[in-house]
Amino acid sequence: MNKSLRKAVIAGNWKMNKTPAETTALINEMKPLVADADCDVVLCVPYVDIFAAVEAAKGSNIKIGAENCHWAASGAFTGEVSAEMLKACGVEYVITGHSERRTYFGDTDVTVHDRTRAALDNGLNVILCVGEYLEQREQNITMEVVRSQVKIALAGVSEEELGKVIIAYEPVWAIGTGKTATADQAEEVCKAIRDLICELYSKEAADKFVVQYGGSMNAKNADELVDKEDVDGGLIGGASLKAPDFAAIVKAASK
Ligand code: 13P
C-alpha cells in the first residue's frame, strides 16, 4: 500500500453550530489560511448554512458538504432533505452514518446504506462514518463492528462509484471527549478498513481509497495521526469551528 497514491482530505463537521452570518465570517477567515493546502479541504455545514457557505467558498479551494441526506428523492418526510436538493444548492460532499445520527436519531446500518446510495445516485461525494462504542472496544469486537458497518453501507456500490466514497473511522468514545485514539489505534483500524476495501474490490481500489480518522483531532495531535501510513486526513468536529486550529490541521496534512 502506498500513501503517495492518495491525497489527504481534511473535512470539518460543524455539527449544529453557526448561523449563516457566522458561516460567512468563518469561511472568509479560513480561506487565506488554507489557500495553499496540499490536501483536499471540505467543510460540512448545517443545511441552513449551505447557501452562505457555497457563496463564501466560491473561487477558493474549500468544498462544501452537508451533514446528512435522506434516502428518498422526495416525498412525505417532514424535516428531511434529499441528496438531489443538496446537489442543487451547490453541495459536493455529504456525511452519512455519523455516530451522532446513529445514536440520537435512529440511523441504522441499513438506513446509512440507503442514504449513501442516494448520495452516490446524485453524484455527491460521501464521507461514510464508522466506529465502535467504548463497550465494543473493551469487548475486543472493534474490527467486527467496523467491518460490518462498512460492508452493509457499501453493499451494491460499484468499484467506479467507490471513487466518490471516503470512510471516516471515528471511534465513538473519542468524539467530543478530548480523548483521541492513539496514532497506533487509529492506524490499526484505518488499515483494517483499507484491507477490507481490497477484499471487497481490488488492490488498486484500496491503494487509492481515502480513510480518515475522526475524534478529538486537533492542531496538536494532527501531525502524528496523519503521518500514519493508512490515515489519509481527518474529519474534524470542534477544531473545525476555529480558523487557526482548522488551518493548522490542514497544514499538518499538507506535508
Ligand atoms: P470532535 O473533533 O469534536 O471530537 O468531533 C469529531 C467528529 O465527530 C467529526 O465528525
Side-chain angles (χ1 to χ4, degrees):
M1 302 293 179
N2 189 343
K3 202 171 168 86
S4 67
L5 294 170
R6 305 182 288 276
K7 194 170 189 185
V9 180
I10 296 295
N13 172 11
W14 284 7
K15 308 193 179 184
M16 197 172 73
N17 291 289
K18 304 293 174 190
T19 64
E22 290 167 346
T23 297
T24 304
L26 182 52
I27 294 181
N28 282 338
E29 192 186 348
M30 280 180 179
K31 276 194 292 191
L33 303 181
V34 302
D36 55 3
D38 188 18
C39 64
D40 286 332
V41 181
V42 182
L43 292 175
C44 297
V45 304
Y47 292 137
V48 294
D49 295 329
I50 286 171
F51 272 125
V54 168
E55 189 56 35
K58 254 184 205 151
S60 79
N61 57 333
I62 299 175
K63 300 193 172 82
I64 301 304
E67 299 175 10
N68 189 26
C69 71
H70 196 262
W71 53 83
S74 61
F77 299 104
T78 303
E80 290 287 321
V81 171
S82 74
E84 187 186 353
M85 292 167 178
L86 295 175
K87 181 86 180 171
C89 293
V91 160
E92 293 180 70
Y93 283 78
V94 63
I95 296 173
T96 60
H98 193 279
S99 63
E100 286 148 18
R101 303 283 334 160
R102 296 179 191 255
T103 304
Y104 306 131
F105 303 104
D107 242 340
T108 64
D109 287 339
V110 173
T111 59
V112 172
H113 164 272
D114 295 349
R115 294 180 198 276
T116 301
R117 182 70 264 159
L120 292 174
D121 286 343
N122 284 279
L124 294 172
N125 295 287
V126 174
I127 301 176
L128 164 66
C129 299
V130 298
E132 80 288 3
Y133 287 100
L134 183 60
E135 308 81 73
Q136 294 169 325
R137 176 159 284 266
E138 286 170 353
Q139 288 161 17
N140 278 322
I141 56 169
T142 296
M143 295 307 179
E144 285 93 324
V145 169
V146 168
R147 280 176 63 92
S148 117
Q149 288 173 332
V150 172
K151 276 188 176 175
I152 297 170
L154 294 184
V157 170
S158 70
E159 185 158 333
E160 194 190 337
E161 289 171 325
L162 190 72
K164 283 195 158 275
V165 180
I166 290 171
I167 290 180
Y169 166 56
E170 300 205 309
V172 182
W173 48 271
I175 294 177
T177 56
K179 209 175 177 187
T180 326
T182 65
D184 286 339
Q185 284 173 324
E187 167 63 17
E188 187 186 20
V189 184
C190 290
K191 180 178 186 308
I193 292 171
R194 191 178 314 286
D195 289 346
L196 177 59
I197 295 296
C198 183
E199 199 181 306
L200 297 174
Y201 294 92
S202 66
K203 180 165 185 314
E204 295 71 51
D207 276 342
K208 286 188 288 187
F209 194 76
V210 170
V211 186
Q212 299 174 314
Y213 167 77
S216 299
M217 194 158 165
N218 58 39
K220 287 205 181 90
N221 59 28
D223 258 323
E224 200 192 346
L225 286 159
V226 299
D227 266 1
K228 288 289 176 185
E229 176 69 24
D230 291 285
V231 180
D232 310 313
L235 184 56
I236 324 297
S240 71
L241 297 170
K242 292 192 189 112
D245 293 23
F246 187 67
I249 300 171
V250 167
K251 198 169 166 205
S254 296
K255 282 185 192 139

